[in-house]
């Protein structure tokens, strides 16, 4: 099994790594021992389905989190961030407490640190002095949180002389990012470790597997940020969707005579019932009603008390949710899982109209996210519409949604006119956004995965 590569990086004065090194020397009065990096990602298709057990199709982006590190025997963790928005942090490395209510940035670092120490059963962890530098826009659907968690785990692994494979690190980080309170799947962590420059990946779960996907040569993927932010750990939007999926799978399982308490994910129910994805969509129509379910109705169907339901199905920040929209969420998940398979197949078979087919799949994905999964927002819908009017063959929200970025597939020879048009129609209309176009609207190529660098 493949491990994270250890390579050399040139740390020139005035380069990014040079500036990080300067900050390190200014903060700790010495040079870092090594650097670790983990990238963000853009999900091309397959939204909100990784935590249901279904395959997704992301690629890593160039934007990443880099951490400069020196380890010692002080028993202390010291964190400094190059961005003034994120304050310094220090604690006893043997006494880590992660605050779910207020997910201040250092808590994401603690997730990776604690996850790695527990996984590898490290009893006397090395003290760490770190400088963190991130270039992924936060809470924008490009997975800045997982890049930080993965990078922190990598730093901890290297400092404590451990060697996990990319696959082990991916699974471990998917698990430990949940310490922050979000019940995510494993896409973000998997692509951060398993990405290879130049290729998108189909990521499959249980067991985790990544397969290269060759994208058409005549298109470019362009990311545009709506500049509406939503922190996933500070709000319950994300976990409510996870719980709605869990409840829908449990009700389908119970209605079909399965031991419903053993099921948490649609993919497992589908497999147990031996259904195709199309058949699963029909089962949803047959079993679930379109109106929202009250908690009482769910308890009645599953024959449990509200307290038992909290144990079998809810998360800490969804205990007070009163209604659940099960039919539409389930329909989105099964149909989106199908679109991912069609996207992959189209990339493999390369029909003459491949880019049109892929574009339409992306458009359908957005419509489903907007109307059935209800994880978009007005500005993001407007941005996606503008992208389609500006020449994109397809455009959709990417990442959890409720704000953040759209990803558009644009004919390679039309990228300049596309960027000009989106700049005018979305960013140019708003004085706050006018100044920030280049960091929020950019073409992207599949980037590389996590790495350790020595100077
Ligand atoms: P995303 O979609 O980017 O993953 P999340 O809401 O899951 O968004 O997580 C965003 C949080 O991650 C930020 O509020 C911040 O706490 C943390 N974060 C992101 N980038 C950085 C960074 N460069 N330095 C420190 N913390 C960061
Ligand atoms: Mg995140």
């Amino acid at each position: 099994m493949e491990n994270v590569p250890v390579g050399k990086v040139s740390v020139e004065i005035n380069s990014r790594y040079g500036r990080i090194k300067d900050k390190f020397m200014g903060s700790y009065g010495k040079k870092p021992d090594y650097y670790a990096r983990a990238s963000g990602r853009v999900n091309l298709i397959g939204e909100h389905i990784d935590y249901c057990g279904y395959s997704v199709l992301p690629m890593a982006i160039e934007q990443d989190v880099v951490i400069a590190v020196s380890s010692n025997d002080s028993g202390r963790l010291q964190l400094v961030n190059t961005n003034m928005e994120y304050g310094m942090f220090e604690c006893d490395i043997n006494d880590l407490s992660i605050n779910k209510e207020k997910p201040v940035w250092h808590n994401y670092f603690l997730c990776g640190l604690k996850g790695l120490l527990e996984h590898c059963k490290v009893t006397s962890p090395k003290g760490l002095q770190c400088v963190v530098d991130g270039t992924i826009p936060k809470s924008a659907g490009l997975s800045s949180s997982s890049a930080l968690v993965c990078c922190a785990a990598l730093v901890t692994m290297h400092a404590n002389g451990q060697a996990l494979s990319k696959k082990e690190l991916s699974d471990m980080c998917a698990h430990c990012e949940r310490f922050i309170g979000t019940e995510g799947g494993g896409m973000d962590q998997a692509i951060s470790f398993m990405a290879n420059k130049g290729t998108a990946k189909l990521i499959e779960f249980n067991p985790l597997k990544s397969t290269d996907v060759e994208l058409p040569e005549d298109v470019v993927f362009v990311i545009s940020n709506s500049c509406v932010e939503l922190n996933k750990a500070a709000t319950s939007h994300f976990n409510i969707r996870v719980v709605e999926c869990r409840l829908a799978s449990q009700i389908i399982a119970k209605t079909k005579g399965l031991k419903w308490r053993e099921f948490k994910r649609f993919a497992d129910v589908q497999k147990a019932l031996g259904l195709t994805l199309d058949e699963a969509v029909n089962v949803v129509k047959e079993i679930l009603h379109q109106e929202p379910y009250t908690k009482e109705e769910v308890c009645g169907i599953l024959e449990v008390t509200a307290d038992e339901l909290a144990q079998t199905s809810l998360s800490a920040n969804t205990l007070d949710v009163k209604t659940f929209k099960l039919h539409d969420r389930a329909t989105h998940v099964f149909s989106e899982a199908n679109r991912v398979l069609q996207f992959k197949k189209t990339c493999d078979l390369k029909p003459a109209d491949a880019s049109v087919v892929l574009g339409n799949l992306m458009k359908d994905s957005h419509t489903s996210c907007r109307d059935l999964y209800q994880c978009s927002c007005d500005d993001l819908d407007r941005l996606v519409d503008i992208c389609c009017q500006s020449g994109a063959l397809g455009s959709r929200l990417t990442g959890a949604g409720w704000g953040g970025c759209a990803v558009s597939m644009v004919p390679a020879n039309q990228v300049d006119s596309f960027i000009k048009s989106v700049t005018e129609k979305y960013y140019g209309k708003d004085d706050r956004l006018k100044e920030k176009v280049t960091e929020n609207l950019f073409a992207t190529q599949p980037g590389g995965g996590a790495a350790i660098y020595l100077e």
Side-chain angles (χ1 to χ4, degrees), residues 41 64-65 81 83 85-86 103-106 108 132-148 177 182 188 230-234 399-400:
R41 58 100 186 93
D64 60 10
V65 168
N81 202 301
N83 183 339
E85 186 185 328
Y86 304 114
V104 181
W105 77 278
H106 63 256
Y108 293 90
V132 176
D133 181 71
T135 54
I136 311 162
K138 74 166 169 6
S139 295
L142 302 177
S143 209
S144 66
S145 64
S146 304
L148 181 51
E177 187 162 343
T182 46
D188 307 345
L230 180 106
N231 181 289
K232 268 66 81 183

Coordinates of all heavy atoms in Angstrom, one line a residue, residues 41 64-65 81 83 85-86 103-106 108 132-148 177 182 188 230-234 399-400, ligand 1:
R41 N -10.2 20.4 -2.6 CA -10.7 19.6 -3.7 C -11.9 20.3 -4.3 O -12.6 21.1 -3.7 CB -11.0 18.2 -3.3 CG -12.1 18.1 -2.2 CD -13.5 17.8 -2.7 NE -14.5 17.8 -1.7 CZ -15.2 18.9 -1.4 NH1 -15.0 20.0 -2.1 NH2 -16.1 18.8 -0.4
D64 N -4.1 24.8 -1.1 CA -3.8 23.7 -0.1 C -3.6 24.4 1.3 O -3.6 25.6 1.5 CB -2.6 22.9 -0.5 CG -1.4 23.7 -0.7 OD1 -1.4 24.9 -0.3 OD2 -0.4 23.2 -1.2
V65 N -3.3 23.5 2.3 CA -2.9 23.9 3.6 C -1.4 23.4 3.7 O -1.2 22.2 3.4 CB -3.7 23.3 4.7 CG1 -3.1 23.5 6.1 CG2 -5.1 23.9 4.7
N81 N -0.8 30.9 12.9 CA -1.3 30.9 11.6 C -0.8 32.2 10.8 O -0.6 33.2 11.4 CB -2.8 31.0 11.6 CG -3.5 30.5 10.4 OD1 -3.3 31.0 9.3 ND2 -4.3 29.4 10.5
N83 N -2.4 33.7 8.7 CA -3.5 34.6 8.5 C -4.0 35.2 9.8 O -4.3 34.4 10.8 CB -4.7 33.8 7.9 CG -5.9 34.6 7.5 OD1 -6.1 35.7 8.1 ND2 -6.7 34.1 6.6
E85 N -6.5 36.4 10.9 CA -7.9 36.1 11.3 C -7.9 34.9 12.3 O -8.8 34.8 13.1 CB -8.6 35.6 10.0 CG -10.1 35.3 10.1 CD -10.6 34.8 8.8 OE1 -10.1 35.2 7.7 OE2 -11.5 33.9 8.8
Y86 N -6.8 34.1 12.2 CA -6.8 32.9 13.1 C -5.7 33.1 14.2 O -4.5 33.1 13.9 CB -6.4 31.7 12.2 CG -7.3 31.4 11.1 CD1 -6.9 31.5 9.8 CD2 -8.7 31.1 11.3 CE1 -7.8 31.3 8.7 CE2 -9.5 30.8 10.2 CZ -9.1 30.9 8.9 OH -9.9 30.7 7.9
P103 N -16.5 26.0 16.8 CA -15.4 25.3 16.1 C -14.3 26.3 15.6 O -14.2 26.6 14.4 CB -16.1 24.7 14.9 CG -17.3 25.5 14.7 CD -17.7 26.1 16.0
V104 N -13.6 26.9 16.6 CA -12.5 27.8 16.3 C -11.5 27.0 15.5 O -11.3 25.8 15.8 CB -11.9 28.4 17.6 CG1 -10.8 29.4 17.3 CG2 -13.0 29.1 18.4
W105 N -10.7 27.6 14.7 CA -9.8 26.9 13.7 C -8.9 25.8 14.3 O -8.8 24.8 13.7 CB -9.0 27.9 12.9 CG -7.8 28.5 13.7 CD1 -7.8 29.5 14.6 CD2 -6.4 28.0 13.5 NE1 -6.5 29.7 15.0 CE2 -5.7 28.8 14.4 CE3 -5.8 27.0 12.8 CZ2 -4.3 28.7 14.6 CZ3 -4.4 26.9 12.9 CH2 -3.7 27.7 13.8
H106 N -8.3 26.1 15.5 CA -7.4 25.1 16.0 C -8.0 23.8 16.3 O -7.4 22.8 16.4 CB -6.6 25.7 17.2 CG -7.5 26.0 18.4 ND1 -7.9 27.3 18.7 CD2 -8.2 25.2 19.2 CE1 -8.7 27.2 19.8 NE2 -8.9 25.9 20.1
Y108 N -9.9 22.1 14.4 CA -9.7 21.2 13.2 C -8.3 20.5 13.3 O -8.1 19.4 12.9 CB -9.9 22.0 11.9 CG -11.3 22.4 11.7 CD1 -11.7 23.7 12.1 CD2 -12.2 21.7 11.0 CE1 -13.0 24.2 12.0 CE2 -13.5 22.1 10.8 CZ -13.9 23.3 11.3 OH -15.2 23.8 11.1
V132 N 0.9 27.4 10.4 CA -0.1 26.9 9.4 C -0.4 28.0 8.4 O -0.6 29.2 8.7 CB -1.5 26.6 10.1 CG1 -2.5 26.2 9.1 CG2 -1.2 25.5 11.2
D133 N -0.4 27.6 7.1 CA -0.7 28.6 6.0 C -1.6 28.0 5.0 O -1.3 26.9 4.4 CB 0.6 28.9 5.3 CG 0.4 29.9 4.1 OD1 0.1 31.1 4.4 OD2 0.5 29.5 3.0
G134 N -2.8 28.5 4.8 CA -3.8 27.9 3.9 C -4.2 28.9 2.8 O -4.3 30.1 3.0
T135 N -4.4 28.3 1.6 CA -4.8 29.1 0.5 C -6.2 28.8 -0.1 O -6.7 29.3 -1.1 CB -3.8 29.0 -0.7 OG1 -3.7 27.6 -1.0 CG2 -2.5 29.6 -0.4
I136 N -6.9 27.8 0.6 CA -8.2 27.4 0.2 C -9.3 28.4 0.8 O -9.3 28.5 2.0 CB -8.5 26.0 0.7 CG1 -7.4 25.0 0.3 CG2 -9.9 25.5 0.1 CD1 -7.4 23.7 1.1
P137 N -10.1 29.0 0.0 CA -11.2 29.8 0.6 C -12.0 29.0 1.6 O -12.4 27.9 1.3 CB -12.0 30.3 -0.5 CG -11.6 29.6 -1.7 CD -10.3 28.9 -1.5
K138 N -12.2 29.6 2.8 CA -12.9 28.8 3.9 C -14.4 28.8 3.7 O -15.0 29.7 3.1 CB -12.5 29.4 5.2 CG -13.2 30.7 5.6 CD -13.0 30.9 7.1 CE -13.4 32.2 7.6 NZ -14.0 33.3 7.0
S139 N -15.0 27.7 4.1 CA -16.4 27.5 4.1 C -17.0 27.8 2.7 O -18.0 28.4 2.6 CB -17.1 28.4 5.2 OG -16.7 28.0 6.4
A140 N -16.3 27.3 1.7 CA -16.7 27.6 0.3 C -16.9 26.4 -0.5 O -17.0 26.4 -1.7 CB -15.7 28.5 -0.3
G141 N -16.9 25.2 0.2 CA -17.2 24.0 -0.5 C -15.9 23.4 -1.2 O -16.1 22.4 -1.9
L142 N -14.8 23.9 -0.9 CA -13.5 23.4 -1.5 C -12.7 22.6 -0.4 O -11.6 22.3 -0.6 CB -12.7 24.5 -2.1 CG -13.4 25.3 -3.2 CD1 -12.5 26.4 -3.7 CD2 -13.8 24.4 -4.4
S143 N -13.4 22.4 0.7 CA -12.8 21.5 1.7 C -11.6 22.0 2.4 O -10.6 21.3 2.6 CB -12.6 20.1 1.2 OG -12.8 19.2 2.2
S144 N -11.6 23.2 2.9 CA -10.5 23.8 3.7 C -10.4 23.0 5.0 O -9.3 22.8 5.5 CB -10.6 25.3 3.9 OG -11.8 25.5 4.7
S145 N -11.5 22.6 5.5 CA -11.5 22.0 6.9 C -10.8 20.7 6.8 O -9.9 20.4 7.6 CB -12.9 21.8 7.4 OG -13.7 20.9 6.6
S146 N -11.1 19.9 5.8 CA -10.4 18.5 5.7 C -9.0 18.7 5.4 O -8.2 17.9 5.8 CB -11.1 17.7 4.6 OG -12.5 17.6 4.9
A147 N -8.6 19.7 4.5 CA -7.2 19.9 4.2 C -6.4 20.1 5.5 O -5.3 19.6 5.7 CB -7.0 21.0 3.2
L148 N -7.0 20.9 6.4 CA -6.4 21.2 7.7 C -6.3 20.0 8.6 O -5.3 19.7 9.2 CB -7.1 22.4 8.4 CG -6.6 22.9 9.7 CD1 -5.1 23.2 9.7 CD2 -7.4 24.1 10.2
E177 N -12.3 13.8 11.6 CA -12.9 15.1 11.4 C -14.3 15.1 12.1 O -14.8 16.2 12.4 CB -13.0 15.4 9.9 CG -13.5 16.9 9.7 CD -13.2 17.5 8.3 OE1 -12.4 17.0 7.6 OE2 -13.9 18.5 8.0
T182 N -19.4 17.4 12.7 CA -20.0 17.1 11.4 C -19.9 15.6 11.1 O -18.8 15.0 11.3 CB -19.3 17.9 10.3 OG1 -17.9 17.8 10.4 CG2 -19.7 19.4 10.4
D188 N -13.6 14.0 1.1 CA -12.6 15.1 1.2 C -11.2 14.6 1.6 O -10.2 15.0 1.1 CB -13.1 16.2 2.1 CG -14.5 16.6 1.8 OD1 -15.0 16.3 0.7 OD2 -15.2 17.2 2.6
L230 N -20.7 29.3 4.7 CA -21.4 28.6 5.7 C -20.5 27.6 6.4 O -20.0 26.7 5.8 CB -22.6 27.8 5.1 CG -23.4 27.1 6.2 CD1 -24.7 27.7 6.5 CD2 -23.6 25.6 5.9
N231 N -20.2 27.8 7.7 CA -19.4 26.9 8.4 C -20.2 25.7 8.8 O -21.2 25.8 9.5 CB -18.8 27.5 9.7 CG -17.9 26.5 10.4 OD1 -18.4 25.6 11.0 ND2 -16.6 26.7 10.3
K232 N -19.7 24.5 8.4 CA -20.5 23.3 8.5 C -20.6 22.8 10.0 O -21.6 22.2 10.4 CB -20.0 22.2 7.7 CG -20.6 22.1 6.3 CD -20.3 23.2 5.4 CE -19.0 23.2 4.7 NZ -18.7 24.4 3.8
A233 N -19.6 23.1 10.8 CA -19.6 22.6 12.2 C -20.4 23.6 13.1 O -20.9 23.2 14.1 CB -18.2 22.4 12.7
A234 N -20.5 24.9 12.7 CA -21.1 25.8 13.5 C -22.6 25.9 13.3 O -23.4 26.5 14.0 CB -20.5 27.2 13.3
G399 N -19.4 20.8 -3.2 CA -19.3 20.8 -1.8 C -20.6 20.8 -1.1 O -21.7 20.6 -1.8
A400 N -20.7 21.0 0.2 CA -21.9 20.9 0.9 C -23.0 21.8 0.4 O -24.2 21.5 0.4 CB -21.7 21.1 2.4
Ligands
LIG1 P1 -15.0 24.0 3.9 O1 -16.1 23.9 2.9 O2 -13.9 25.0 3.5 O3 -14.4 22.7 4.4 P2 -15.9 24.2 6.7 O4 -17.1 25.1 7.1 O5 -16.1 22.8 6.8 O6 -15.6 24.7 5.2 O7 -14.6 24.6 7.5 C1 -14.1 25.9 7.5 C2 -13.2 26.1 8.7 O8 -11.9 25.5 8.6 C3 -12.9 27.6 9.0 O9 -14.0 28.3 9.6 C4 -11.7 27.5 9.8 O10 -12.0 27.2 11.2 C5 -11.0 26.3 9.2 N1 -9.9 26.7 8.3 C6 -10.0 26.8 7.0 N2 -8.9 27.3 6.4 C7 -8.1 27.6 7.4 C8 -6.8 28.1 7.5 N3 -6.1 28.5 6.4 N4 -6.2 28.3 8.7 C9 -6.9 27.9 9.8 N5 -8.1 27.4 9.8 C10 -8.7 27.2 8.6

